[in-house]
Amino acid sequence: MEAPVCLIENNPNEKLQVNPEALEILQNIQQPVVVVAIVGLYRTGKSYLMNKLAGKMKGFSLGATIQANTMGIWMWCLPHPRMSDHTLVLLDTEGLGDVEKSNTQNDAWIFALSILLSSTFVYNSMGTIDQYALEKLQYVTELTKHIKVKASPKKTSEEDESDFLRFFPVFIWAVRDFSLQLKLNGRRITEDEYLENALKRKPDSPETLDLAKKCVRQYFPSRKCFVFDRPAGTRDLEDLEDLPESKLCPDFLEQSNKFCQYIYNNAQPKIIQGGHRVTGKSLGHLVQTYVDAIASGTIPCIENAVTVLAQIENTAAVQDAITCYEAAIKQRVQLPTETVNEVLEAHGQCEKEALKSFMARAFKDDNHEYQKNLANQMQSKLQELISHNEQVSLDRCQAVLMDLFQVVEEKISNGSYSVPGGYQMFLEDQKEKLQHYELAPKKGLMAAKALQDFLKSREMTVQSILKADQILTDKQKEIEVEKIWAEASKREAELHEKMRIEAEERAEQEKQSYEEHRNQLMEKMEADRRRLLTENEAVLNTKLEEQRRVQEEGFHREYSRLQGEIQNLRSQISEQASSPCVIL
Ligand SMILES: *[C@@H]1O[C@H](CO)[C@@H](O)[C@H](O)[C@H]1NC(C)=O
C-alpha cells in the first residue's frame, strides 16, 4: 500500500460504514497481522507516530489537514519490518472528539472498534497523565456498553467485564509534549512507573476519575508508557510532517525511535480464542461483523464474531485440506496399482498430512463438525480413487487380452481349430497367450479378475472347439471339461481369497484413519486445554496483583468482589488441571 485508506467511515449523522476498497485489501492478506491502533484527540500528533511506524514521512494525515479527510478509522498495511511473513496493520483514528464534526455516539463506537480490532492499542494524549487526561478517557469507562464478550444473554455486564482482559490488546499510553521530569519523591522513575503512579487510586477522588483508573487497570493488564518531548521549538504538532528530521529536537527523535523499536520488537500478532492467529483476511471479517452489529443496533460481541470467523475459517480449512490431500495422493499413487494396499497406505499418509493442515488452521470446531466433514470427504475421495484404480486396471487388462487373443479369435472364426487335434492346438495357443498376459506390465490389481471374466466369457466357445475335435474320445472330452471347470473354480477361489484380504485391509485402514483423527484431535484438545490453563493462571495472577493493590489503596468492596472472581478462577483452574481431555 502506497498510502493509508479509510477502513471505517464515520460521517456526521450517518451510520458507521466499512469501506469496500479497504476490505478488499485485507481480503488479500493471508499472513497473520500485528494490529497497532492509535486513539486520542485530534491535533495531538498521533499521525506522526503512525507514519513513523510505517517508516514514512507522510501518510496518515495530521491535524492540520483533517478537514480534507474522512473521519473514522484509517488503515495502512505494510510488511512487518521484523517478523517475516507477518503484516503490520496500522489503524489511525481521525476526528475523535472533534466537537464540530463527529457525533459522540459514533466516537464511542470508533473507540471500541479500535480496541476490538487491535493487538496493541496506543492512547495518545497531551501534556501529562493528570486528572484531565484521565477524565478524557471516558470511553474506556463506557466500554461495557459497547463491547460484549459472551453471546449468552445470562451473563451480567459485570461478569462480562471481568473477562475483558482476556481479549483486550496491550495498552500503551503515549504522552506528548511531556514537560515534567520523570521523578517521584525526588527519585527518578521509569515511564511505566510514571503511568502506574498516575493510575493509583484514592478512595476520596472524584468518581469519574477513579472509574477511569479502575477500568484501565482492570481491562488492560499489559500496560506501557512512552513520554515524548515537544518535537520542535515553538512549532505546533500539526506541522510536524513538513519538518525535516534535522529540525526536530533530538530527544523527541530518540523517543520516537524508541517507541517504534518497541512496537516492532514487542507488539504481538492479533490472536483470538484459542491462540488462533488472525490473518488480514479474517481481520476483514471481524471488521465487517462488528460494524454490522453496530449498524443493526446491537452491541458487538466477541464470541459471536469469533463464531462467524470460525465458520469461515473452518470451511476454508476443510477445503484446503482436501486440496492438499488431492495433490499429495496424486503424487504418491500411480494408477493402476498392483494392490489395494498401495492405495490405502498412500491414503493413510496423505490423510495424516491433510488432517495436520486442517488442525493447524481450524479452531472452535466445537462438535468436531468440520473435522467429521473432512473425514467423510477424504473417505469418499478414497472410495473414488479405489474405484478409479480398479477401472483403469480393468480397462488396461481388457485391452491387453483383446490384443493378445486377436489371432486366436481369427483362428476360431476361420476354422483353424475345427480340425482333428484342433483342441490341443487351441490349448497350446491359449497357454502361450496367457503366458504373455502374465508378463504384460502395469496391469494393476484387477489382472486376475479381468482374466477370470475373460475366460468365463469364452467358456462356450472353448467347449464347442472341444466337442468338434474328432480325435478325442467322449471320455477324454469329459475329462477335459472337468479340467476346465476345475481351473475356473480354482481361479474363482483365489479371487475370493484376494477380496477377503482386501476387505480386511480396508477395515484396517478405516480403523487406522479413525485412530489418526482421534489422535490428532486429542493432541489439539490437549494443547487447547494447556493454553487455556496457562491463560487462566495469567489472569489469576493479574487479579491477585490487582487485589493486592486495591487492598493497599483501601477499596474494600472491590477487594471482596475480586475475591469472588479469584475463587471462581481457582476452581476453574483446578478442574482444568485435573481433567485431561477425553473423547467419548
Ligand atoms: C486363419 O487366421 C490365421 C491368423 O490370422 C492365419 O494365420 C491363417 O492362415 C488363417 N487360416 C485360414 C485357413 O485362412
Side-chain angles (χ1 to χ4, degrees), residues 501-518:
I501 293 172
E502 284 179 4
E504 264 178 25
E505 287 167 350
R506 283 295 297 275
E508 178 60 21
Q509 175 274 326
E510 271 174 34
K511 208 176 107 201
Q512 276 175 12
S513 166
Y514 177 79
E515 287 290 313
E516 188 61 43
H517 275 272
R518 192 188 142 90

Side-chain angles (χ1 to χ4, degrees), residues 406-416:
Q406 199 189 346
V407 178
V408 180
E409 287 302 321
E410 272 170 31
K411 282 183 162 180
I412 291 172
S413 332
N414 73 10
S416 291

Side-chain angles (χ1 to χ4, degrees), residues 301-548:
C301 168
I302 296 175
E303 191 177 55
N304 285 344
V306 170
T307 304
V308 170
L309 199 55
Q311 282 163 357
I312 295 168
E313 279 282 291
N314 293 346
T315 306
V318 170
Q319 198 46 53
D320 282 4
I322 291 290
T323 310
C324 151
Y325 169 84
E326 281 176 329
I329 199 108
K330 210 170 187 176
Q331 232 183 18
R332 268 170 202 269
V333 186
Q334 278 259 346
L335 297 190
T337 64
E338 293 307 314
T339 62
V340 73
N341 219 23
E342 275 174 61
V343 174
L344 296 180
E345 264 169 28
H347 169 83
Q349 286 299 320
C350 300
E351 180 178 47
K352 189 173 176 165
E353 283 169 32
L355 191 53
K356 259 203 189 115
S357 100
F358 169 80
M359 287 298 189
R361 188 158 168 197
F363 65 102
K364 208 169 185 284
D365 182 11
D366 290 341
N367 301 315
H368 323 310
E369 205 181 298
Y370 290 91
Q371 194 187 348
K372 278 181 209 154
N373 177 322
L374 174 64
N376 289 340
Q377 284 200 51
M378 282 196 287
Q379 206 61 35
S380 15
K381 292 273 166 208
L382 172 63
Q383 193 48 56
E384 267 169 42
L385 186 66
I386 287 174
S387 306
H388 188 52
N389 191 28
E390 290 179 352
Q391 197 53 53
V392 171
S393 168
L394 265 185
D395 290 350
R396 163 126 181 104
C397 292
Q398 280 163 0
V400 170
L401 285 166
M402 289 278 275
D403 194 39
L404 285 172
F405 276 82
Q406 199 189 346
V407 178
V408 180
E409 287 302 321
E410 272 170 31
K411 282 183 162 180
I412 291 172
S413 332
N414 73 10
S416 291
Y417 300 124
S418 309
V419 295
Y423 185 65
Q424 191 54 39
M425 280 160 56
F426 166 76
L427 282 186
E428 272 159 26
D429 281 355
Q430 171 161 284
K431 192 172 161 200
E432 190 224 322
K433 299 303 170 194
L434 292 185
Q435 275 166 357
H436 275 103
Y437 178 70
E438 202 60 45
L439 294 174
K442 300 232 155 81
K443 295 193 297 296
L445 75 176
M446 296 305 274
K449 174 83 170 99
L451 180 62
Q452 170 76 341
D453 290 350
F454 178 73
L455 293 177
K456 230 185 207 163
S457 72
R458 295 165 52 88
E459 257 165 27
M460 297 316 286
T461 317
V462 173
Q463 287 201 31
S464 57
I465 296 174
L466 177 64
K467 273 189 196 136
D469 196 337
Q470 286 154 9
I471 229 175
L472 300 169
T473 63
D474 285 352
K475 186 71 196 159
Q476 281 173 317
K477 286 181 183 171
E478 247 172 62
I479 295 172
E480 287 300 321
V481 170
E482 284 299 317
K483 245 192 197 162
I484 295 174
W485 287 123
E487 277 167 18
S489 49
K490 186 171 158 243
R491 282 195 303 267
E492 196 69 36
E494 279 169 7
L495 271 181
H496 264 284
E497 177 60 10
K498 186 166 172 273
M499 279 161 68
R500 190 188 61 76
I501 293 172
E502 284 179 4
E504 264 178 25
E505 287 167 350
R506 283 295 297 275
E508 178 60 21
Q509 175 274 326
E510 271 174 34
K511 208 176 107 201
Q512 276 175 12
S513 166
Y514 177 79
E515 287 290 313
E516 188 61 43
H517 275 272
R518 192 188 142 90
N519 289 345
Q520 289 205 25
L521 180 60
M522 288 280 272
E523 240 171 70
K524 190 177 169 81
M525 285 171 74
E526 182 58 19
D528 283 350
R529 182 183 71 94
R530 292 231 184 89
R531 197 181 296 112
L532 190 59
L533 195 59
T534 313
E535 181 188 303
N536 275 340
E537 277 162 356
V539 171
L540 176 67
N541 286 335
T542 305
K543 298 216 167 180
L544 283 170
E545 168 63 15
E546 184 59 21
Q547 195 189 31
R548 191 193 56 73

Side-chain angles (χ1 to χ4, degrees), residues 140 143-144 161 164-165 168 214-221:
V140 169
L143 279 175
T144 49
E161 190 184 0
F164 275 2
L165 79 171
F168 278 17
K214 178 183 151 186
C215 291
V216 171
R217 272 164 44 175
Q218 191 184 348
Y219 303 164
F220 303 98

